[in-house]
Amino acid sequence: MGGDPRRRDGDERGWLRGAPPPRWVRVLPPVLLVVVCATELASRRPVDIGFLLGVVPSLAVLSYGPLVTAVYGGIVVVLLVVPAFQLNHPGNTDLLTIVFIAALSVVLALVRSRRDADLVTVRTVAEAAQLAVLPPLPESVGPVRCVGLYRAAQRETLVGGDFFDVRDGPYGVRAVMGDVQGHGLQAVGTVASLLGAFRESVLDQRDLTSAAGRLDRRLIIDSAQTEHPELFATALLLEFSATADTVRLTSCGHPHPYLLRGGEAVELSVAPGAPLGLGFFKVSPPQVRTVLLEPGDRLFLGSDGVTESRDATGAFYPLAERLALFAQESPSELTTRLWDDLLQFCGAVRDDVTMLVLTPRTEHVTG
């Protein structure tokens, strides 16, 4: 399955970071009202816990809008002045304090509801823009099945400095994985530009070297129009034959891919060219390597967020060892297990993490 490469396992924000509050937070105000009133009515002697009702409007702010918060505030005031409930018999000063807290809670609820509405609008627009830049991978492109996973280093963003894509064209199925200088939303514009150049090269560039040259030229032109012209990117390009029994690959400073075959992970090294955008493409063009594929082979592409992650002792993540350990898993399970294992190894990942598993269906084509 292709799926969304940016999928998240649940809402990682948490309710303290802007996610909707959990159910137990929403039921706190009514539960507190019922518990206090029931305790006072059931007790033969005054328990004097009516002061707890003063926090009900404040708790309502966390989950409800201004109207419901005002209702809770009104209920609290009524309960405090009804003699039958024996809720502390508040004096005028205490009652005015409760009224002030209730009114202030209504104002805060109004401000919070408007802010939440603005945040929802902004996040919806941002997600739409980011999905337009990096749409979900299809389950298969031609004879190649695709599974991707993307985790941006900057929290609450779907796209960072990494990018990948798989496209079919007149010269075969091509895939790209790259890493743009920088992280977060400031890198989205460069990512969009490079992806556009790659998609054009799939249609009109006959070989991988020319395709990589198209990306290099695009980045140089974009850099000339920016305030900081030192912009650069790394990239790895692959091209599958029509029968998916061979793959050609070239690297512009990007980590090498791995071939998963028979429970083993073999690094497919290739002499890398200079990173894109530095002006050295013609001086040091990338080399192209051709690899024969067998039925059942899979290719794993990872960003430096995977290969250069370290634990507390400074040791690098043993990618080849872990790939061999999870090699028998399905592609989607492989990326998920590898991501969980990477988090456990490093504790916290500080760079964009991108994984792409490509499975050529050689047995389907030749059959």
Side-chain angles (χ1 to χ4, degrees):
M1 295 178 61
D4 189 346
R6 299 160 298 267
R7 69 186 186 277
R8 294 182 182 271
D9 303 322
D11 197 333
E12 295 182 356
R13 290 178 294 164
W15 70 281
L16 293 179
R17 293 181 177 272
R23 185 182 300 274
W24 64 268
V25 176
R26 297 181 62 86
V27 301
L28 275 179
V31 167
L32 187 57
L33 281 173
V34 172
V35 169
V36 172
C37 293
T39 302
E40 289 284 4
L41 291 174
S43 176
R44 296 181 179 179
R45 298 180 181 179
V47 185
D48 292 337
I49 59 174
F51 67 92
L52 293 176
L53 295 181
V55 303
V56 170
S58 301
L59 291 176
V61 173
L62 298 176
S63 305
Y64 300 98
L67 180 59
V68 177
T69 303
V71 170
Y72 277 115
I75 293 175
V76 168
V77 173
V78 170
L79 291 177
L80 288 175
V81 297
V82 173
F85 288 98
Q86 304 176 8
L87 297 178
N88 290 31
H89 303 290
N92 291 334
T93 302
D94 296 332
L95 192 59
L96 287 175
T97 301
I98 297 298
V99 171
F100 174 77
I101 293 176
L104 182 60
S105 299
V106 172
V107 174
L108 293 178
L110 178 62
V111 173
R112 184 191 63 80
S113 61
R114 291 183 175 179
R115 183 205 62 184
D116 290 349
D118 291 340
L119 288 177
V120 168
T121 301
V122 171
R123 183 173 177 84
T124 301
V125 173
E127 288 182 354
Q130 291 167 334
L131 287 173
V133 172
L134 194 61
L137 281 175
E139 292 188 0
S140 62
V141 179
V144 181
R145 293 176 179 172
C146 315
V147 170
L149 181 143
Y150 198 118
R151 296 292 186 271
Q154 184 173 323
R155 293 185 63 90
E156 310 308 327
T157 60
L158 297 178
V159 176
D162 288 358
F163 63 93
F164 59 78
D165 198 5
V166 184
R167 296 277 166 161
D168 196 0
Y171 309 107
V173 175
R174 289 181 181 173
V176 65
M177 175 175 287
D179 185 2
V180 173
Q181 176 194 21
H183 304 289
L185 296 178
Q186 67 268 25
V188 172
T190 305
V191 168
S193 182
L194 288 176
L195 282 174
F198 167 74
R199 291 160 185 168
E200 290 180 357
S201 71
V202 170
L203 300 176
D204 54 26
Q205 298 298 322
R206 292 181 174 274
D207 57 83
L208 283 183
T209 303
S210 300
R214 174 68 65 87
L215 271 67
D216 179 73
R217 186 182 67 176
R218 178 74 268 168
L219 196 56
I220 290 177
I221 294 175
D222 290 348
S223 297
Q225 301 173 355
T226 61
E227 185 176 352
H228 303 287
E230 66 274 10
L231 187 65
F232 68 91
T234 63
L236 176 68
L237 287 88
L238 285 77
E239 180 183 84
F240 293 88
S241 62
T243 55
D245 56 355
T246 62
V247 62
R248 305 175 74 234
L249 54 102
T250 187
S251 173
C252 298
H254 199 79
H256 299 146
Y258 283 83
L259 175 65
L260 306 182
R261 174 183 294 173
E264 296 182 356
V266 180
E267 186 177 18
L268 299 178
S269 60
V270 58
L276 304 173
L278 297 181
F280 300 133
F281 188 84
K282 294 183 179 180
V283 178
S284 178
Q287 301 298 311
V288 178
R289 177 181 176 180
T290 302
V291 178
L292 298 178
L293 299 175
E294 299 178 0
D297 285 352
R298 286 182 287 180
L299 293 168
F300 176 86
L301 286 65
S303 65
D304 56 4
V306 181
T307 59
E308 297 181 5
S309 293
R310 306 190 186 201
D311 63 5
T313 65
F316 287 104
Y317 181 69
L319 179 58
E321 175 185 328
R322 295 298 201 269
L323 282 174
L325 181 63
F326 304 135
Q328 302 302 324
E329 303 286 351
S330 66
S332 58
E333 186 67 20
L334 170 64
T335 56
T336 302
R337 293 283 298 276
L338 205 63
W339 166 250
D340 293 339
D341 186 70
L342 182 65
L343 283 181
Q344 186 175 5
F345 180 85
C346 303
V349 177
R350 297 177 176 83
D351 196 1
D352 298 332
V353 171
T354 309
M355 305 178 195
L356 183 60
V357 179
L358 303 175
T359 307
R361 293 180 290 177
T362 53
E363 69 280 3
H364 172 73
V365 176
T366 57

